[in-house]
């Protein structure tokens, strides 16, 4: 190691005016020089990538003009960089810029210098009297270098998402899928910001009374330009990146507000069922979030039902029991073939029996055929949900359904009372 010293020498004179001694004073100026160097870097270098910045390029170009030296200047920026920043956040955008700077430096020859002008804009200064052909070759090399690594990254991502311990060849379909995911993520963030998520409701029917007994809240993304986007498009991605937590809060809040309104209007007295994702279920403050929304909407807790998937229960059964005090959900996959498969029929029969032994009520979901409905009735399944009664519909349409159901039920009661 070494350090920098500043030496000051002063002459000492005697009474005759002759030099008798010299005094040397040493000062350690390492820190001062470091500060000067840091200041110079701050002035001339980009803090994020470490590359020379715009002002450094201007000084270099000014000197080249004075010397009348021939150079070629190329300016490049990144496609869709704003979409990356908007959808994944500025930290990811910064990481991308750092990676791009490193890749370009590896792709360019020694007689070329790279600068960051700002944002996603870079400049490449090529010297040694370059001709058009060599400059085009350098530009092509930079583009190909980024394209190759981008394709490798896409293939790696898909290999990981497939469970790992595998390899994946790049194909254009993978690229299209990656771009679509990026587009959907951007749409999700836009929908959260602009309140574009809507809650649709699918009725749950009391089998014995043949009356609407509750409903399940289901989220939809209604974009002003792209129209209605189904949950299959955005829910898996939202689960993966964590945005499902914000979406879940929106759905829970809107569903509780709607249920409270219908309670006050006397249109129903059952429960609204809201799905909880595994991400939401893992939140340490889940209970406080739910309680806060119930206080905000003034909905009594007994009118809210929380649904979780079987996978979430398996991950942490004790936590599931704590949060979901009363939940009995029969998956649509069991119901689909109960009128065709003896095995499925026996499984549904067993599920209903176990639930009844535990004092729980059972909802048969995804009921589409009359044969399925008749079997579930025979097995004493309390509630039915599915297209045989209604598909999920918008809040206003569901309110009309509730109103019609109330009128029908009151008319039936009136008839029975007269008999």
């Amino acid at each position: 190691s070494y350090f920098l010293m500043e030496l000051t020498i002063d002459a000492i004179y005697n009474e005759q005016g002759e030099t008798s001694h010299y005094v040397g004073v040493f000062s350690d100026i390492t820190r001062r020089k470091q500060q000067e160097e840091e200041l110079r870097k701050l002035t001339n270098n980009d803090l994020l990538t470490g590359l020379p910045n715009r002002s450094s390029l201007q000084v270099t170009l000014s000197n080249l003009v004075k010397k009348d030296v021939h150079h070629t200047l190329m300016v490049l920026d990144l496609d869709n960089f704003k979409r990356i920043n908007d959808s994944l956040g500025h930290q990811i955008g910064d990481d991308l810029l750092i990676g791009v700077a490193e890749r370009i430096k590896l792709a360019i020859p020694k007689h070329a210098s790279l600068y960051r002008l700002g944002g996603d804009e870079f400049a490449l200064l090529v010297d040694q009297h370059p001709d058009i052909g060599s400059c085009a070759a350098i530009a092509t090399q930079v583009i190909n270098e980024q394209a190759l690594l981008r394709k490798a990254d896409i293939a790696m991502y898909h290999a990981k998402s497939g469970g790992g311990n595998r390899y994946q060849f790049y194909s254009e379909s993978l690229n299209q899928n990656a771009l679509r995911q990026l587009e959907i993520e951007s749409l999700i963030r836009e929908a959260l910001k602009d309140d574009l998520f809507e809650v649709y409701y699918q009725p749950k029917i009391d089998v014995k009374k043949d009356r609407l007994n509750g409903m399940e809240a289901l989220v939809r993304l209604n974009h002003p330009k792209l129209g209605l986007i189904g949950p299959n498009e955005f829910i898996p991605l939202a689960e993966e990146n964590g945005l499902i937590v914000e979406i879940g809060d929106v759905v829970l809040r809107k569903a509780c507000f709607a249920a409270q309104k219908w309670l006050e209007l006397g249109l129903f007295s059952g429960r609204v069922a809201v799905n909880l994702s595994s991400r939401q279920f893992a939140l340490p403050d889940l209970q406080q979030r739910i309680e806060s929304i119930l206080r905000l909407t003034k909905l009594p807790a007994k009118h809210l039902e929380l649904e979780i998937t079987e996978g979430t229960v398996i991950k942490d059964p004790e936590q599931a029991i704590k949060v979901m005090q009363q939940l009995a959900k029969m998956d649509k996959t069991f119901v689909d073939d109960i009128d065709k498969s003896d095995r499925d029929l026996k499984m549904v029969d067993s599920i209903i029996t176990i639930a009844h032994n535990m004092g729980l009520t059972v909802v048969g979901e995804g009921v589409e055929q009359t044969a399925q409905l008749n079997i579930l009735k025979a097995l004493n399944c309390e509630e039915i949900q599915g297209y045989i009664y209604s598909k999920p519909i918008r809040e206003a349409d569901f309110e009309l359904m509730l109103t019609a159901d109330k009128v029908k039920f009151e008319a039936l009661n009136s008839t029975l009372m007269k008999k």
Side-chain angles (χ1 to χ4, degrees):
S1 63
Y2 66 93
F3 57 92
L4 300 172
M5 301 296 295
E6 183 178 67
L7 173 61
T8 303
I9 300 177
D10 290 315
I12 305 297
Y13 300 97
N14 58 22
E15 293 178 355
Q16 289 75 34
E18 299 170 337
T19 303
S20 62
H21 298 83
Y22 290 96
V23 177
V25 178
F26 290 88
S27 300
D28 185 348
I29 60 167
T30 307
R31 181 59 186 153
R32 191 183 83 197
K33 288 296 182 182
Q34 286 174 343
Q35 290 174 337
E36 290 174 358
E37 178 62 19
E38 287 169 7
L39 184 60
R40 187 190 66 78
K41 284 184 178 179
L42 285 173
T43 306
N44 297 310
N45 288 75
D46 171 48
L47 291 177
L48 182 65
T49 62
L51 294 174
N53 61 16
R54 183 183 291 271
S55 63
S56 178
L57 176 61
Q58 288 172 337
V59 171
T60 302
L61 291 176
S62 178
N63 291 333
L64 291 174
V65 169
K66 290 175 185 175
K67 295 177 182 177
D68 195 24
V69 177
H70 292 286
H71 280 67
T72 298
L73 181 66
M74 304 182 196
V75 176
L76 58 141
D77 64 8
L78 306 181
D79 293 336
N80 301 317
F81 181 71
K82 185 178 184 301
R83 186 183 292 175
I84 296 281
N85 258 353
D86 290 347
S87 61
L88 303 181
H90 289 278
Q91 182 57 56
I92 298 297
D94 286 349
D95 291 342
L96 177 65
L97 290 171
I98 293 168
V100 165
E102 291 299 320
R103 292 176 183 184
I104 296 176
K105 281 195 289 186
L106 291 173
I108 59 177
K110 291 180 180 179
H111 60 276
S113 303
L114 182 63
Y115 299 79
R116 183 187 175 207
L117 303 182
D120 64 329
E121 192 175 27
F122 294 85
L124 200 57
L125 189 62
V126 185
D127 58 14
Q128 293 189 354
H129 304 284
D131 55 48
I132 291 176
S134 63
C135 288
I138 292 170
T140 302
Q141 189 175 351
V142 169
I143 293 169
N144 288 344
E145 177 76 13
Q146 290 193 64
L148 178 64
L149 287 164
R150 179 179 59 83
K151 291 175 181 179
D153 280 347
I154 290 170
M156 180 179 68
Y157 171 81
H158 280 273
K160 280 186 175 181
S161 65
N165 194 30
R166 56 181 292 181
Y167 62 85
Q168 172 72 58
F169 288 105
Y170 171 83
S171 69
E172 190 54 36
S173 63
L174 292 185
N175 182 40
Q176 292 301 320
N177 187 48
L179 290 173
R180 178 61 178 165
Q181 283 196 314
L182 193 59
E183 181 184 355
I184 292 294
E185 184 157 351
S186 182
L187 285 173
I188 293 172
R189 292 182 186 277
E190 181 187 352
L192 286 168
K193 181 170 66 74
D194 297 340
D195 192 27
L196 302 180
F197 284 113
E198 285 188 21
V199 179
Y200 277 47
Y201 298 91
Q202 188 172 33
K204 292 184 177 184
I205 306 298
D206 185 313
V207 174
K208 290 182 179 178
K209 294 181 179 179
D210 191 31
R211 188 185 181 206
L212 193 148
N213 199 39
M215 60 281 198
E216 181 177 4
L218 300 160
V219 67
R220 301 289 186 268
L221 199 169
N222 198 353
H223 195 273
K225 292 181 180 176
L226 302 176
L228 205 62
I229 298 169
N232 290 341
E233 283 249 53
F234 63 84
I235 291 293
L237 185 61
E239 286 269 15
E240 186 180 316
N241 61 28
L243 289 172
I244 193 68
V245 173
E246 290 184 65
I247 295 172
D249 280 351
V250 170
V251 174
L252 188 60
R253 186 171 62 252
K254 290 191 173 189
C256 288
F257 266 124
Q260 172 59 16
K261 177 180 67 171
W262 295 327
L263 277 171
E264 287 183 353
L265 292 173
L267 295 178
F268 103 117
S269 57
R271 294 193 302 267
V272 59
V274 179
N275 293 294
L276 289 181
S277 71
S278 56
R279 286 260 194 175
Q280 287 173 282
F281 215 75
L283 292 172
D285 64 339
L286 177 61
Q287 184 178 344
Q288 291 92 325
R289 282 171 177 257
I290 294 170
E291 288 174 350
S292 174
I293 289 173
L294 288 174
R295 281 196 301 270
L296 174 69
T297 60
K298 297 182 173 62
L299 179 72
K302 67 179 182 179
H303 294 292
L304 174 63
E305 179 179 307
L306 302 173
E307 291 197 5
I308 52 175
T309 62
E310 297 84 349
T312 303
V313 178
I314 291 168
K315 282 180 185 176
D316 194 344
E318 291 183 5
Q319 179 70 1
I321 292 167
K322 285 179 185 177
V323 181
M324 309 298 285
Q325 293 290 322
Q326 186 178 1
L327 171 67
K329 176 183 175 182
M330 189 191 309
D331 194 88
K332 180 184 185 298
T333 52
F334 295 133
V335 175
D336 276 342
D337 295 322
I338 59 173
D339 58 333
K340 306 183 189 77
S341 165
D342 187 56
R343 177 174 170 274
D344 282 356
L345 175 59
K346 287 178 180 176
M347 186 173 290
V348 169
D349 190 10
S350 299
I351 290 171
I352 293 174
T353 301
I354 291 168
H356 287 167
N357 288 340
M358 294 173 66
L360 301 173
T361 59
V362 181
V363 180
E365 292 191 351
V367 182
E368 298 175 359
Q369 308 295 330
T370 304
Q372 296 168 342
L373 173 61
N374 292 335
I375 290 171
L376 290 170
K377 280 183 178 180
L379 295 175
N380 294 318
C381 177
E382 285 87 353
E383 290 185 359
I384 298 296
Q385 179 182 346
Y387 274 41
I388 192 167
Y389 285 107
S390 171
K391 65 180 181 180
I393 55 179
R394 302 178 79 163
E395 183 177 321
D397 295 327
F398 192 81
E399 189 166 315
L400 291 174
M401 180 184 286
L402 285 172
T403 305
D405 189 70
K406 182 186 177 186
V407 170
K408 182 181 77 172
F409 193 71
E410 286 176 348
L412 177 63
N413 277 348
S414 176
T415 304
L416 291 173
M417 290 292 288
K418 290 174 182 178
K419 287 184 178 180

